[in-house]
Amino acid sequence: MSVLDELPVVVIGAGPVGLAAAAHLHDRGLPFLVLEAGDTAGAAVRQWGHVRVFSPWRYNVDPAARRLLDDAGWVAPADDALPTGAELVADYLQPLAELPQLKPHLRYGARVEAISRLGLDRLRSAGRERAPFLVRLADGDELLARAVIDASGTWGTPNVLGASGLPARGEKNVAAFLEHALPDVLGADRDRFAGRHILVVGAGHSAANTLLSLAELAATEPGTEVTWAIRSASPARTYGGGDADALPARGALGSRLHEHVDAGRIRLLTGFSVHALTPTDGRVAVVVRHADGSDEQIVVDRIVAATGFRPDHSIAAELRLDLDPVMGATRALAPLIDPNEHSCGTVPPHGAAELGHPEAGYYAVGMKSYGRAPTFLMATGYEQVRSVVAALAGDWDAARDVQLDLPETGVCNSNPADSTGTDSCCGPAPAAQPAGKGLATGSPAACCPPR
């Protein structure tokens, strides 16, 4: 046994995928330590706890985690029930984190600041694979690891409003008027929205959730005005597959939004690219630049920036990463998750072989592994960590045997011209059942989230 084998595998993040990694590491008998920046398991999920997801419980529980929970007498939720984010934490993540097999290996309030190799910067090669990873925390503490599984997600790095990938002019100056994805419109945040003109920017399921809540609010709060702005010429991708969606709640989400737009309860603006933002008499003026170069201005009270998320790889700056220049995912994974070709349900199975970097032993998993692709589902992350942990255990046969059963979406890519919600590449789906609004539990941004 080498010195490396005696060190733990460090898992960054105690969300659904990070805790699944811990369960698989325990299953394989590998020492591990989970570092969570928040003060509890599922800290990011708690921030959108008011939202009901549209993937039922059977897709939301990792198999290794379920075995541990079942052995402890866990009463599993009904497979077909749709949990809220809060229920996902209370009924699954927290009980999992409290298990004696995992709890002693979880460390809260531990924010990772940087990862390197002990005694080696990115330039040096000699002895690199034999050197342990050095994980530095924000409080200055340093830990050694045999491998690192980064399941920290993307919740903390939302995309900007500017249409070119850069902040719109004046975006930082209007921070007081901005809301990021999934505010609790009907609950804790209600007073910020009631009786005001709200602009929601984004074309994904996070935007759709917020719009449906705002429409409900407007029905009871006079003066509440809702405007929805998207960059594309058509909202077809957001409306989705309707009855052709294998997740009925996901199909119902788009259908209900479509009804509100058709009825005039939500004003839809297409071809909307945010150019500049300016505070104006307690409100914010939004300047839109159209494709022909002309400008238009709309004045609103608040803006919900449901524009998606992007990964932050800065903590791994001293590691040797091979990232696709477009997606920000590994080069091997990028073509498999390209949202121009794939929806949440059409991403092929993948694991350690596709997630590996030139820096042996480092893997980004979960939503972070997808870079800027919005097609992540939680079940995908579970299969990722199963494969990665098998590879770390030296079981490459199991690592390569990747299998994935995902629900089809009815919308097969994020190209608005192709997202018709009709036949396309998605096969027949079960008849839709009545369901409320919700989002997929791959991340707070949902399956096929705003871009």
Side-chain angles (χ1 to χ4, degrees), residues 360-418:
Y362 172 80
Y363 298 90
V365 298
M367 189 67 194
K368 190 169 186 176
S369 73
Y370 270 41
R372 296 200 186 188
T375 47
F376 178 74
L377 279 175
M378 191 183 299
T380 307
Y382 294 159
E383 181 63 3
Q384 287 180 344
V385 295
R386 184 207 62 78
S387 173
V388 165
V389 171
L392 293 175
D395 186 355
W396 275 99
D397 286 340
R400 295 187 183 98
D401 184 21
V402 287
Q403 301 180 20
L404 204 54
D405 177 22
L406 295 176
E408 293 288 0
T409 175
V411 177
C412 295
N413 59 53
S414 64
N415 183 339
D418 297 332

Side-chain angles (χ1 to χ4, degrees), residues 159-179:
N159 285 328
V160 296
L161 276 171
S164 300
L166 303 175
R169 293 183 181 180
E171 186 165 337
K172 293 182 180 179
N173 298 330
V174 298
F177 300 93
L178 296 183
E179 304 273 350

